[in-house]
Amino acid sequence: MIVRIMGEGQVKLADSHFAELNALDDELLTEMENGDGPGFRATLTALLDKVRELGSPLPDDSLEPSELILPAPEASLEEVRELLSDDGLIPG
């Protein structure tokens, strides 16, 4: 799976990591629904850090289609809310 972090670039991530990322996404969705700004910030940071840790960066000149687009680290709760589907940032 190719994942784009807005403002940073793309990483290639094995599908086997999907469940781990989905757990963080569920936590992020709950914090957003509850208006928990500090929790949201901590979980967004943890989600992006996990993607960076588990993924392999693609070259900047790579033009692979992204299967998943995640917000920039500094994105606000309102900006992330606009990106959400019913499943959160990560479908499924």
Side-chain angles (χ1 to χ4, degrees), residues 24-51:
L24 286 167
D25 185 50
D26 290 345
E27 187 177 330
L28 186 69
L29 186 57
T30 299
E31 290 161 348
M32 291 186 65
E33 288 171 351
N34 294 332
D36 180 359
F40 156 79
R41 179 66 46 212
T43 303
L44 177 60
T45 298
L47 175 64
L48 298 177
D49 286 348
K50 188 57 72 174
V51 168

Side-chain angles (χ1 to χ4, degrees), residues 40-83:
F40 156 79
R41 179 66 46 212
T43 303
L44 177 60
T45 298
L47 175 64
L48 298 177
D49 286 348
K50 188 57 72 174
V51 168
R52 292 182 197 108
E53 173 190 331
L54 299 173
S56 302
L58 294 178
D60 289 339
D61 60 353
S62 176
L63 297 174
E64 299 288 328
S66 300
E67 297 169 72
L68 179 61
I69 300 175
L70 296 176
E74 66 277 357
S76 70
L77 196 141
E78 292 76 25
E79 291 169 329
V80 174
R81 197 173 270 138
E82 292 176 12
L83 296 173

